[in-house]
Amino acid sequence: MTTKVPVKNIPPIEAEKLSHVQSATDDCTVVQLAWLSGYFWGKMHQEKNNYSNTKLKLTQPQSVTIISASQTGNARNLAEKLRIECLTEKLNVNHIHACDYKFKHISRERLLVLITCTQGNGEPPEEAIALYRFLISKNAPAMHSLAFSVFGLGDSSYELFSQAGKDFDKRLAELGGERLLDRVDADIEYSEQAQAWRAQLIQILKKRVLLASDQIDYEIKDNTNKINCITYTKHEPLKARLLVNQKITGRGSEKDVRHIEIDLMHSNLRYTPGDALGVWFENNTLLVQELLELLSFTGKELVSVKGENIPIAEALKKHFELTVNTPKIVENYAKLSKSEILLKQVNNKNTSLQKYAQNTPIVDMIRFSKSQISAEELISILRPCTPRLYSISSSQEENENEVHITVNVVRFRIDGRDRAGGASSYLADHLSIGDEVRIFIEKNDNFRLPENPQTPIIMIGAGTGIAPFRAFMQQRDCEESTGKNWLFFGNPRFTEDFLYQIEWQRYIKDGLLTRIDLSWSRDQSQKIYVQDKIRANGKEVWSWIKNGAHLYVCGAAHYMAKDVEKALIEIITKFGSMGAAEASDLLSDLRIQRRYQRDIY
């Protein structure tokens, strides 16, 4: 007996047409779908009543798309503030993280706001690399119907300050887009500048956007990827206790690397492998005293900090950056001091002001060019102190009430005087066990283990870039993951610089770590780096990639990360039997699929 399928279960539209409709509306916003619903309703009644000469006039509320391209969360948080303020002004708005944005549909945008940071050597953040490469490619579409605004976040201590914002802004204009506002290049202290920009932008958007009709009854749902809310933030950090400060490099090592453990007991602070730990620090008392003496200050001179008058000694210790110099600071001090040495440095086009700032700490710049400036003048040229971010090297599944970081202590000498990094020396030298340290979690959803515990992973790290992979292994061990794990690690010397050696050997013995390939750049006459080991094992690496492996890279952006990417493209070209352009495209596809992720600095 054959049972007939009821007619009511058969869609009144051919499968092919239904597929076209689904494809066309797949990435529509709720507002756009609501408009389409009204459009089709009107079209149906227009035909039913045979109003062949009457056109249905419906108003589509324009939507503002905000794309956040974030590395540490600042761009994402700023975009979220803008979204909330837009909704308050009844603007239709959609905030999308760059890694989730369907960039090949960008030509459909009419109003676009891009908020981006810059990483490494002037590059876009990891989650925006695919979008950037698409825009600069010959496949990028014309955008003559687009109006856009770019807000760039950066750090002026770097040579290519806010370069990603500059590049995106330039390219969108080249493709035909119209600027709603001039691009903003914001330094590390950007809150006031961002607030003014948001207010100005919203006024412009209100004039450009058609507001949703009050007669259309629909709910604008928040489709934004939710930022994991935590109790403690950058501005309201957790006051935790230092538990462990252990040097993990040998006596003969040129590096001083510390394993730091911090107590989270009773804090409810949660983190995930791949996240970073933000650490607030105070400047070295001896450094502050040296600076005060150079300028003939007693330390008791009052200066205004955030509307409060405090002694300059306290201001320099707690509120201002003293260990990172910038070209802007050099220029401003040169004008105040009228130093011929510095003015020549600033005005000489053949010298690199950036290089001078990088190689000359603020205290030494002043020592080389002493001046009689006031306490307020000194404060006016300095940057506010900002926290440092360190990749977390522990899993909370294994260390429930602790968070671990791996810190390379920055040490060097200038003219016979010892100098050190602000946060790294604070953690290593100036805190005692049990002392208070202010911390917060900076989420990094672009550096995550695969959801499927059976998925193989390849981890590539150099120096302290091994930190997140220690967290990955702890997590996979606790979850009893069955996916294969392969580590590439490099450092100068085996006997002095094999970080967490005993732990890696245990993982190998237990079978959790499937393979480990080590490269020691100073143990032989010919330097060997992780990229050399990748090339040497190219066939096997390609086999893992073909079988679904996820690739992770952690280390310095300017050298290591670029060299590793070059090596990956070479082996994909060779063993995948494809051209370099195809190999690069394949790597971009892996990035989009979250199978190629980098945590670089």
Side-chain angles (χ1 to χ4, degrees):
M1 177 179 176
T2 302
T3 303
K4 293 184 178 181
V5 179
V7 174
K8 65 179 181 180
N9 289 337
I10 301 176
I13 184 172
E14 295 91 334
E16 184 177 357
K17 286 184 178 179
L18 179 60
S19 177
H20 286 318
V21 171
Q22 291 172 333
S23 176
T25 60
D26 180 54
D27 61 342
C28 284
T29 66
V30 174
V31 174
Q32 291 167 338
L33 290 172
W35 182 86
L36 286 171
S37 175
Y39 170 77
F40 287 125
W41 180 89
K43 189 173 181 66
M44 176 185 71
H45 283 270
Q46 182 183 30
E47 293 184 2
K48 179 179 178 181
N49 296 306
N50 198 25
Y51 292 148
S52 57
N53 296 322
T54 304
K55 292 185 178 179
L56 181 67
K57 295 182 179 179
L58 290 175
T59 300
Q60 177 185 9
Q62 281 191 350
S63 179
V64 181
T65 296
I66 304 171
I67 300 175
S68 61
S70 194
Q71 191 72 17
T72 62
N74 289 335
R76 187 171 299 178
N77 293 335
L78 179 53
E80 183 63 9
K81 286 183 180 179
L82 176 61
R83 184 189 72 88
I84 293 171
E85 291 176 6
C86 283
L87 290 175
T88 301
E89 295 294 334
K90 298 182 180 179
L91 293 170
N92 302 316
V93 63
N94 188 25
H95 169 205
I96 306 173
H97 301 171
C99 55
D100 297 323
Y101 183 66
K102 296 182 179 179
F103 54 83
K104 292 184 179 180
H105 295 166
I106 194 170
S107 60
R108 301 178 185 178
E109 302 290 357
R110 294 298 173 263
L111 293 169
L112 176 68
V113 180
L114 176 63
I115 303 175
T116 181
C117 67
T118 296
Q119 70 159 349
N121 191 33
E123 299 172 350
E126 281 299 303
E127 66 172 339
I129 288 180
L131 170 61
Y132 174 74
R133 290 183 176 175
F134 173 72
L135 288 176
I136 64 173
S137 73
K138 60 184 179 182
N139 297 322
M143 300 184 191
H144 298 294
S145 299
L146 175 72
F148 70 92
S149 180
V150 174
F151 191 99
L153 293 164
D155 183 338
S156 59
S157 66
Y158 289 90
E159 183 175 2
L160 298 176
F161 168 56
S162 196
Q163 191 61 44
K166 295 172 183 176
D167 290 344
F168 275 118
D169 179 77
K170 179 183 177 182
R171 186 55 177 159
L172 290 172
E174 288 175 347
L175 293 170
E178 170 198 355
R179 288 187 180 90
L180 291 164
L181 272 175
D182 289 339
R183 183 191 72 249
V184 176
D185 300 323
D187 210 339
I188 56 171
E189 185 58 40
Y190 59 85
S191 57
E192 291 184 5
Q193 196 174 10
Q195 185 176 359
W197 170 77
R198 292 197 306 270
Q200 188 178 1
L201 179 62
I202 286 175
Q203 293 306 312
I204 293 173
L205 290 173
K206 285 171 69 175
K207 295 177 182 178
R208 301 286 294 255
V209 174
L210 295 172
L211 301 183
S213 170
D214 294 335
Q215 295 179 356
I216 300 178
D217 184 20
Y218 58 82
E219 179 185 0
I220 301 178
K221 295 183 179 179
D222 180 9
N223 291 324
T224 306
N225 298 308
K226 296 295 183 183
I227 300 171
N228 292 320
C229 293
I230 55 177
T231 306
Y232 307 99
T233 66
K234 174 181 176 180
H235 300 292
E236 295 182 356
L238 167 69
K239 295 178 180 179
R241 291 187 310 113
L242 180 68
L243 293 177
V244 173
N245 171 11
Q246 179 184 0
K247 186 177 180 182
I248 56 174
T249 43
R251 291 183 179 179
S253 176
E254 296 177 359
K255 298 182 177 183
D256 179 359
V257 177
R258 302 298 177 100
H259 172 73
I260 302 290
E261 297 183 7
I262 297 172
D263 184 19
L264 300 182
M265 185 72 75
H266 308 307
S267 69
N268 295 319
L269 194 68
R270 307 301 300 174
Y271 63 88
T272 303
D275 289 340
L277 185 74
V279 178
W280 283 98
F281 67 97
E282 294 182 358
N283 288 306
N284 187 337
T285 302
L286 294 177
L287 177 63
V288 171
Q289 189 60 37
E290 181 180 355
L291 186 56
L292 292 172
E293 290 176 358
L294 284 171
L295 293 170
S296 301
F297 295 151
T298 65
K300 298 179 181 179
E301 293 84 354
L302 295 180
V303 292
S304 178
V305 178
K306 298 180 180 178
E308 181 182 357
N309 290 327
I310 61 174
I312 190 171
E314 179 184 347
L316 293 177
K317 184 175 178 64
K318 298 180 179 180
H319 298 284
F320 291 94
E321 178 66 72
L322 298 183
T323 55
V324 177
N325 203 353
T326 71
K328 187 175 180 181
I329 291 175
V330 177
E331 287 187 48
N332 289 335
Y333 182 69
K335 293 175 183 176
L336 284 174
S337 65
K338 297 180 174 57
S339 165
E340 293 183 6
I341 296 174
L342 292 181
L343 288 172
K344 185 178 179 180
Q345 188 78 34
V346 170
N347 296 327
N348 190 346
K349 303 300 181 182
N350 295 322
T351 61
S352 171
L353 185 59
Q354 181 72 37
K355 187 175 181 180
Y356 175 84
Q358 288 178 340
N359 295 332
T360 312
I362 293 170
V363 65
D364 292 296
M365 174 188 71
I366 293 176
R367 184 162 57 86
F368 296 147
S369 302
K370 289 185 180 180
S371 174
Q372 294 298 317
I373 63 174
S374 69
E376 283 289 356
E377 285 176 325
L378 173 62
I379 294 301
S380 71
I381 69 172
L382 298 178
R383 303 196 307 173
C385 190
T386 56
R388 301 294 192 263
L389 297 178
Y390 295 98
S391 298
I392 292 175
S393 53
S394 58
S395 163
Q396 209 159 19
E397 293 294 321
E398 182 171 314
N399 307 276
E400 182 179 359
N401 297 313
E402 299 171 4
V403 60
H404 302 172
I405 54 177
T406 309
V407 178
N408 180 34
V409 187
V410 178
R411 301 189 192 280
F412 56 99
R413 289 178 69 82
I414 296 287
D415 197 29
R417 289 173 169 80
D418 291 328
R419 302 300 183 205
S424 62
S425 65
Y426 174 74
L427 288 167
D429 304 332
H430 304 300
L431 287 181
S432 299
I433 302 304
D435 280 355
E436 180 181 284
V437 55
R438 294 172 296 153
I439 62 170
F440 60 95
I441 301 299
E442 194 67 73
K443 292 292 180 182
N444 185 3
D445 292 329
N446 298 308
F447 204 75
R448 291 285 188 253
L449 280 167
E451 292 184 6
N452 186 345
Q454 297 179 341
T455 302
I457 65 173
I458 299 176
M459 303 167 286
I460 306 166
T464 53
I466 202 170
F469 303 137
R470 179 178 184 263
F472 279 11
M473 286 298 93
Q474 288 184 3
Q475 185 75 15
R476 288 205 133 187
D477 192 21
C478 290
E479 294 178 349
E480 299 183 350
S481 301
T482 57
K484 296 191 297 182
N485 306 292
W486 187 353
L487 173 68
F488 287 91
F489 172 66
N491 233 352
R493 301 185 186 281
F494 169 74
T495 55
E496 308 291 340
D497 304 305
F498 193 172
L499 307 182
Y500 303 111
Q501 177 181 358
I502 295 176
E503 294 181 24
W504 294 113
Q505 289 174 333
R506 186 182 76 246
Y507 287 140
I508 283 284
K509 182 180 179 180
D510 295 345
L512 180 66
L513 189 59
T514 312
R515 288 192 58 167
I516 185 169
D517 281 272
L518 306 170
S519 54
W520 311 108
S521 60
R522 302 297 189 272
D523 272 350
Q524 60 285 313
S525 58
Q526 183 180 0
K527 295 179 180 179
I528 301 175
Y529 298 104
V530 286
Q531 59 267 25
D532 300 314
K533 288 290 185 177
I534 291 170
R535 289 189 182 95
N537 294 277
K539 186 176 181 179
E540 186 68 11
V541 171
W542 172 240
S543 175
W544 278 50
I545 293 174
K546 284 197 304 180
N547 289 320
H550 285 216
L551 298 166
Y552 298 90
V553 180
C554 186
H558 190 54
Y559 299 106
M560 178 265 189
K562 283 189 174 181
D563 291 337
V564 165
E565 183 154 317
K566 183 179 178 182
L568 290 172
I569 290 175
E570 287 177 10
I571 66 170
I572 293 171
T573 300
K574 180 177 179 181
F575 297 103
S577 301
M578 62 183 75
E582 288 180 279
S584 181
D585 288 343
L586 186 146
L587 210 53
S588 292
D589 288 340
L590 293 180
R591 184 179 265 114
I592 295 168
Q593 298 168 32
R594 308 287 181 92
R595 286 184 53 198
Y596 176 42
Q597 301 180 50
R598 305 192 304 174
D599 180 8
I600 60 179
Y601 40 84

Coordinates of all heavy atoms in Angstrom, one line a residue, residues 13 16-40 60 94 102 105 108 223:
I13 N 6.5 26.1 -4.1 CA 7.6 26.8 -4.9 C 8.6 25.7 -5.3 O 8.9 24.8 -4.5 CB 8.2 27.9 -4.1 CG1 9.3 28.6 -5.0 CG2 8.9 27.4 -2.8 CD1 9.8 29.9 -4.3
E16 N 14.4 24.7 -6.9 CA 15.4 25.6 -7.4 C 15.2 27.0 -7.0 O 16.1 27.8 -6.6 CB 15.5 25.4 -8.9 CG 16.7 26.2 -9.5 CD 16.8 26.0 -11.0 OE1 16.0 25.2 -11.6 OE2 17.7 26.7 -11.6
K17 N 13.9 27.4 -7.1 CA 13.5 28.8 -6.8 C 13.7 29.0 -5.3 O 14.2 30.1 -4.8 CB 12.1 29.1 -7.2 CG 11.9 29.3 -8.7 CD 10.5 29.7 -9.0 CE 10.3 29.9 -10.5 NZ 8.9 30.3 -10.8
L18 N 13.3 28.0 -4.5 CA 13.5 28.1 -3.0 C 14.9 28.3 -2.7 O 15.3 29.1 -1.8 CB 12.9 26.9 -2.4 CG 13.0 26.9 -0.8 CD1 12.2 28.1 -0.2 CD2 12.4 25.6 -0.3
S19 N 15.8 27.5 -3.4 CA 17.2 27.6 -3.1 C 17.8 29.0 -3.4 O 18.6 29.6 -2.7 CB 18.0 26.6 -4.0 OG 19.4 26.7 -3.8
H20 N 17.3 29.6 -4.5 CA 17.7 31.0 -4.9 C 17.3 32.0 -3.8 O 18.1 32.9 -3.4 CB 17.1 31.4 -6.2 CG 17.7 30.7 -7.4 ND1 19.1 30.5 -7.5 CD2 17.2 30.2 -8.5 CE1 19.4 29.9 -8.6 NE2 18.2 29.7 -9.3
V21 N 16.0 31.8 -3.3 CA 15.6 32.7 -2.3 C 16.4 32.6 -1.0 O 16.8 33.6 -0.4 CB 14.1 32.5 -2.0 CG1 13.6 33.3 -0.7 CG2 13.2 32.8 -3.2
Q22 N 16.7 31.4 -0.6 CA 17.4 31.1 0.6 C 18.9 31.7 0.5 O 19.4 32.3 1.4 CB 17.5 29.6 0.9 CG 16.1 29.1 1.4 CD 16.2 27.6 1.5 OE1 17.0 26.9 0.8 NE2 15.3 27.0 2.4
S23 N 19.4 31.5 -0.7 CA 20.8 32.0 -1.0 C 20.8 33.6 -0.9 O 21.7 34.2 -0.3 CB 21.3 31.5 -2.3 OG 22.5 32.1 -2.6
A24 N 19.8 34.2 -1.5 CA 19.7 35.6 -1.6 C 19.5 36.3 -0.2 O 19.9 37.4 0.0 CB 18.6 36.1 -2.5
T25 N 18.8 35.6 0.7 CA 18.5 36.2 2.0 C 19.3 35.6 3.1 O 19.1 36.0 4.3 CB 17.0 35.9 2.3 OG1 16.7 34.5 2.3 CG2 16.1 36.5 1.3
D26 N 20.3 34.8 2.8 CA 21.1 34.1 3.8 C 21.8 35.1 4.8 O 21.8 34.9 6.0 CB 22.1 33.2 3.2 CG 23.0 32.5 4.2 OD1 22.4 31.8 5.1 OD2 24.2 32.6 4.2
D27 N 22.3 36.2 4.3 CA 23.0 37.1 5.1 C 22.3 38.4 5.4 O 22.9 39.4 5.7 CB 24.4 37.4 4.5 CG 24.3 38.1 3.2 OD1 23.2 38.0 2.6 OD2 25.3 38.7 2.7
C28 N 20.9 38.4 5.2 CA 20.1 39.6 5.4 C 20.0 39.9 6.9 O 19.9 38.9 7.7 CB 18.7 39.5 4.8 SG 18.7 39.7 3.0
T29 N 20.0 41.1 7.3 CA 19.7 41.5 8.7 C 18.2 41.3 9.0 O 17.4 41.2 8.1 CB 20.1 42.9 9.0 OG1 19.3 43.8 8.2 CG2 21.6 43.2 8.6
V30 N 17.8 41.4 10.3 CA 16.4 41.3 10.7 C 15.6 42.4 10.0 O 14.5 42.3 9.6 CB 16.3 41.3 12.2 CG1 14.9 41.4 12.6 CG2 17.0 40.1 12.8
V31 N 16.2 43.6 10.0 CA 15.5 44.8 9.4 C 15.3 44.5 7.9 O 14.2 44.8 7.4 CB 16.4 46.1 9.6 CG1 15.8 47.2 8.9 CG2 16.5 46.4 11.1
Q32 N 16.3 44.0 7.2 CA 16.1 43.7 5.8 C 15.1 42.7 5.5 O 14.2 42.8 4.6 CB 17.5 43.3 5.2 CG 18.4 44.5 5.1 CD 19.9 44.0 4.9 OE1 20.2 42.9 5.1 NE2 20.7 45.0 4.4
L33 N 15.0 41.6 6.4 CA 14.0 40.6 6.2 C 12.6 41.1 6.5 O 11.7 40.7 5.8 CB 14.3 39.4 7.2 CG 15.6 38.6 6.9 CD1 15.9 37.6 8.0 CD2 15.4 37.8 5.6
A34 N 12.5 42.0 7.5 CA 11.2 42.6 7.7 C 10.7 43.4 6.5 O 9.5 43.4 6.2 CB 11.3 43.5 9.0
W35 N 11.6 44.2 5.9 CA 11.3 44.9 4.7 C 10.8 44.0 3.6 O 9.9 44.2 2.9 CB 12.4 45.8 4.3 CG 12.1 46.7 3.1 CD1 11.5 47.9 3.1 CD2 12.3 46.3 1.7 NE1 11.4 48.3 1.8 CE2 11.8 47.4 0.9 CE3 12.9 45.2 1.1 CZ2 11.9 47.4 -0.5 CZ3 13.0 45.2 -0.3 CH2 12.5 46.3 -1.1
L36 N 11.6 42.9 3.4 CA 11.3 41.9 2.3 C 9.9 41.3 2.6 O 9.2 41.1 1.6 CB 12.4 40.9 2.2 CG 13.7 41.3 1.6 CD1 14.7 40.2 1.8 CD2 13.5 41.6 0.1
S37 N 9.6 41.1 3.8 CA 8.3 40.5 4.1 C 7.2 41.4 3.7 O 6.2 41.0 3.0 CB 8.2 40.3 5.7 OG 6.9 39.8 6.0
G38 N 7.4 42.7 4.0 CA 6.4 43.7 3.5 C 6.3 43.8 2.0 O 5.3 44.0 1.4
Y39 N 7.5 43.7 1.4 CA 7.6 43.8 -0.1 C 6.8 42.7 -0.7 O 6.0 42.9 -1.7 CB 9.0 43.8 -0.5 CG 9.2 43.7 -2.0 CD1 9.0 44.8 -2.8 CD2 9.6 42.5 -2.6 CE1 9.2 44.7 -4.2 CE2 9.7 42.3 -3.9 CZ 9.5 43.4 -4.8 OH 9.7 43.3 -6.1
F40 N 7.0 41.5 -0.3 CA 6.3 40.3 -0.9 C 4.8 40.4 -0.6 O 4.0 40.0 -1.4 CB 6.9 39.0 -0.4 CG 8.3 38.7 -1.0 CD1 9.4 38.5 -0.2 CD2 8.5 38.7 -2.4 CE1 10.6 38.2 -0.7 CE2 9.7 38.5 -2.9 CZ 10.8 38.2 -2.1
Q60 N 12.7 51.2 2.8 CA 13.6 50.3 3.5 C 14.5 51.1 4.4 O 15.2 52.0 4.0 CB 14.5 49.6 2.5 CG 15.5 48.7 3.2 CD 16.4 48.0 2.2 OE1 16.4 48.4 1.0 NE2 17.2 47.1 2.7
N94 N 24.1 47.0 12.9 CA 24.6 45.6 13.1 C 26.1 45.6 13.3 O 26.8 46.1 12.5 CB 24.2 44.8 11.8 CG 24.5 43.3 12.0 OD1 24.4 42.8 13.1 ND2 24.7 42.6 10.9
K102 N 31.1 38.3 6.1 CA 31.1 37.8 4.8 C 31.6 38.8 3.8 O 30.8 39.5 3.2 CB 29.7 37.3 4.4 CG 29.2 36.1 5.3 CD 27.9 35.6 4.8 CE 27.4 34.4 5.7 NZ 26.1 33.9 5.3
H105 N 30.6 40.0 0.2 CA 29.3 40.7 0.0 C 29.5 42.2 0.4 O 28.5 42.9 0.6 CB 28.2 40.1 0.9 CG 27.9 38.7 0.5 ND1 27.2 37.8 1.2 CD2 28.2 38.0 -0.7 CE1 27.0 36.7 0.6 NE2 27.7 36.8 -0.5
R108 N 27.6 45.2 -1.1 CA 26.1 45.4 -0.8 C 26.0 46.5 0.3 O 24.9 47.0 0.5 CB 25.5 44.2 -0.3 CG 25.5 43.0 -1.3 CD 24.9 41.8 -0.8 NE 25.0 40.6 -1.7 CZ 24.6 39.4 -1.4 NH1 24.0 39.2 -0.2 NH2 24.8 38.4 -2.2
N223 N 22.2 40.6 17.2 CA 22.9 39.4 16.6 C 24.4 39.5 16.8 O 25.1 38.8 16.2 CB 22.6 39.3 15.1 CG 21.1 38.8 14.9 OD1 20.6 38.1 15.7 ND2 20.5 39.4 13.8

